[in-house]
Structure formats: C-alpha cells, structure tokens
Amino acid sequence: MVEHLHRAGTSPETLADPMRPRRYRIAHTRQDTRDTFTLELEPTEGPPLAYRPGQFTMLDAFGVGEVPISISGDPARGGPLEQTIRDVGVVTHALITAPVGTLLGVRGPFGTSWDVSLGAGGDVVFIAGGIGFPPLRPALLELISERDRYGRVVLLYGVRTPEDIIFGDELRSWAHDHGIVVGVTVDNGQHAWRGKVGLVTQLIPRAGFDPRNTTAFVCGPEVMMRFSAAALADRGVRPSRIRMSMERNMKCGVGLCGHCQLRELFVCVDGPVLTYDRLAPLLSSREL
Ligand SMILES: Cc1cc2nc3c(=O)[nH]c(=O)nc-3n(C[C@H](O)[C@H](O)[C@H](O)COP(=O)(O)OP(=O)(O)OC[C@H]3O[C@@H](n4cnc5c(N)ncnc54)[C@H](O)[C@@H]3O)c2cc1C
Ligand code: FES
C-alpha cells in the first residue's frame, strides 16, 4: 500500500496513517447551482492540506458515511480546502446541508495528478462535463499562474442547462484576462440562452488547436469522456497526451479494499487521472 501511495506522490502526513481522518471544520458553504455547493474546510489543527491538481480526499460526514471528492481549489493559495459537491445521495446531501462549524473527517489527498505542466510549450485543451469541471479547476489555475509557458488554451464545457454552469464569473475572467478560449454548450437551452446547444463533443472538431502539439485534460461522465477522447484522437491528439479522471466506487482510497478496481488498475492509487492509451482497452470492453 505504501508503495502505491509513494508512487502517487502522497504527502508524508497521509503516509503516516492514510486511514485516519483529520478533523476539518466547515468555514463556509457557497451554493454554486441548484444542486452543487462548494465547501471551504479548515483543519482544526496543523497546516492546511498540500495537494496536487487532480487529487481527491475521502470526506467523512461523521455518522453518515465517507465519499471521494476531488479538490477544486487553487493549489498555490494555501487557504481553506475547497471541495465542490453535487447533491446526488445520502452522504453528499449530508455534506452540503451541514451547517457552518460542523466537523468533518478528511483523509488524503489521494491519487494521481493532472500534471498540467506536461502541456507546457504546446496547446492545451480542457474538456469538462457537468460536475467534472471542479476537478479540472486546480489544473486551470496552475496553468494560468504560468500562462506564458503554454500556447493556445481551450476550455470546452458542457452542462445540462444554463443554470447548471459552475464558476461562470471565473470563465468570463479567464477568457478576458488570460486569453483562454472558452466554449460552453448546454443540453437544453431555453428562454434567454443565446449560446450553443448540443453535446460538448460537438465543439471539438471546430476548436482551434494544433492536435500534433496538444495535451488534453478531460473530466465528466464516463460516456462523455470516452467520446471526447475518441474525438480528440480522431483529430490527431496522441492518446498518451489525453488524460482523463475516472470515477469508481471507493472505500479505502489507498489500494486496500478493491472497490475501485478496473481490471488490473486500482483507480484510487493508479488514478483517478489516467492516460487514454492506458484506459482505451478497458473502456471499450464495457457497454455504454
Ligand atoms: C475520484 C473521485 C472524485 C470525485 N469527485 C467528485 C467531486 O469533485 N464532486 C462530486 O460531487 N462528486 C465527486 N465524485 C462522486 C462522488 O464520490 C459521489 O457522488 C458520491 O460518492 C455519492 O455518494 P452519496 O452517498 O451522496 O450517494 P449514493 O446514495 O451512494 O448514490 C447516489 C447516486 O450516485 C451514484 N454514485 C455513488 N457513488 C458514486 C461514485 N463514486 N461515482 C459515481 N457515481 C456514484 C450512485 O450510483 C447513485 O446513482 C467523485 C468520485 C470519485 C471516485
Ligand atoms: S478504494 Fe479501496 S482499493 Fe481503491
């Protein structure tokens, strides 16, 4: 287990006892959309959590249960731990409705990173679907902090309705202040929506980037990631330069229980971020 965690670059505090949750207090809860909330968490003791973009924690709503949630904050800022959570079930509901001041358990950070700097010197494409956007946010913020190391940067983001857009103000400022080409599309656009309607994969063929010199980061529902990765590969992006974040049921987060197994991979330690060349044979063996 320790070898797995070393390979994933796990911090020394977590290595000491990865199953022991640290206590964090909810300092602030922000409602992002009708069903998505960002918690800001502060440790009751010790330094803030150091993490790399793409990593996740196991968040424990004491007495209810523990779930894996990606970190959505700015890795360079060192403030409260930010985690953006969609209300889909028992534990996520308990987390987003817990009052400010509530104590939660936090284990981690666990897993592999986006390694966004692999894209330096070339173009970079981010493709996000729904709640897949928050896990990409730390990678975007890291890239923006060294914007001149990258060529053209494109962010394609698909959501169900305009009301489901998360971090909308940030999208505008990234486009305006940092030259990021942002394309947003919705499944259902009614009334005042004047933007694109359709699947995020439909934006890929027309997005301006040099496929031979592009690194792509994809996060969202599995079917969306499969089609996005295939569309990127069709345009000529090398599968080894397409990175995706996989979701599987997780219990331990540290390679012990086998809940997250995907053939020979343990997604909690070999992932969640994995390259398309490694994933393609595993994904294509499953039905949509
Ligand atoms: C590495 C990783 C990172 C994640 N990051 C985020 C994040 O940043 N924000 C966020 O909102 N969610 C994230 N998730 C998904 C989150 O863990 C699940 O939504 C959560 O476990 C659901 O628990 P629940 O008790 O609220 O719902 P349940 O009552 O357990 O289930 C409700 C619904 O969610 C589905 N579900 C349950 N567990 C998972 C799972 N692990 N993955 C996908 N679907 C699941 C069930 O099939 C059911 O349809 C992540 C999952 C993983 C593995
Ligand atoms: S969650 Fe236990 S092995 Fe991955």
Side-chain angles (χ1 to χ4, degrees):
M1 172 181 81
V2 170
E3 188 197 321
H4 272 310
L5 295 177
H6 266 303
R7 218 168 53 215
T10 306
S11 66
E13 308 88 72
T14 301
L15 276 175
D17 187 356
M19 297 308 288
R20 188 175 71 85
R22 279 177 71 189
R23 279 170 186 268
Y24 276 65
R25 192 181 309 281
I26 300 180
H28 183 71
T29 300
R30 182 185 71 234
Q31 181 161 13
D32 298 307
T33 69
R34 62 190 153 181
D35 64 359
T36 302
F37 295 71
T38 297
L39 305 189
E40 291 186 6
L41 305 173
E42 286 172 346
T44 55
E45 55 184 276
L49 203 69
Y51 62 91
R52 296 181 299 144
Q55 290 193 298
F56 67 94
T57 69
M58 296 299 295
L59 267 189
D60 193 347
F62 290 125
V64 184
E66 198 187 35
V67 287
I69 300 289
S70 298
I71 302 168
S72 61
D74 183 347
R77 223 181 57 178
L81 177 65
E82 285 179 56
Q83 308 222 244
T84 303
I85 303 171
R86 187 159 160 230
D87 181 7
V88 296
V90 178
V91 182
T92 48
H93 189 71
L95 290 167
I96 59 108
T97 53
V100 166
T102 302
L103 290 180
L104 303 177
V106 176
R107 292 195 294 119
F110 297 128
T112 50
S113 149
W114 290 112
D115 282 334
V116 73
S117 63
L118 291 176
D123 293 349
V124 177
V125 177
F126 293 91
I127 305 179
I131 191 66
F133 184 26
L136 283 169
R137 182 172 176 258
L140 271 145
L141 292 169
E142 185 178 314
L143 177 149
I144 285 168
S145 71
E146 298 185 304
R147 178 66 185 90
D148 52 1
R149 293 181 66 204
Y150 300 86
R152 197 172 162 86
V153 180
V154 176
L155 166 61
L156 307 177
Y157 179 28
V159 285
R160 286 170 299 176
T161 73
E163 292 73 40
D164 294 311
I165 295 171
I166 315 173
F167 310 137
D169 292 345
E170 238 172 5
L171 291 175
R172 281 181 282 278
S173 96
W174 291 344
H176 185 263
D177 303 336
H178 302 288
I180 293 181
V181 180
V182 177
V184 179
T185 182
V186 304
D187 296 341
N188 301 302
Q190 293 169 349
H191 312 304
W193 177 250
R194 296 213 179 82
K196 295 188 175 62
V197 177
L199 299 174
V200 72
T201 44
Q202 291 166 343
L203 304 182
I204 296 171
R206 284 159 183 254
F209 57 88
D210 172 10
R212 287 156 306 164
N213 194 17
T214 287
T215 309
F217 302 93
V218 188
C219 193
E222 193 162 314
V223 63
M224 167 260 165
M225 291 200 290
R226 280 180 64 179
F227 280 109
S228 297
L232 288 163
D234 279 351
R235 270 200 66 175
V237 181
R238 276 181 281 153
S240 61
R241 304 204 61 156
I242 302 171
R243 300 170 80 81
M244 304 150 71
S245 184
M246 296 304 293
E247 277 199 14
R248 281 293 175 278
N249 278 326
M250 288 185 185
K251 200 123 193 100
C252 69
V254 293
L256 280 178
C257 70
H259 272 76
C260 66
Q261 202 162 355
L262 180 61
R263 195 104 57 87
E264 71 274 15
L265 300 177
F266 281 4
V267 174
C268 65
V269 287
D270 296 312
V273 179
L274 290 151
T275 54
Y276 183 48
D277 55 343
R278 210 163 169 206
L279 278 171
L282 308 181
L283 296 180
S284 59
S285 64
R286 301 174 72 236
E287 286 302 311
L288 290 179

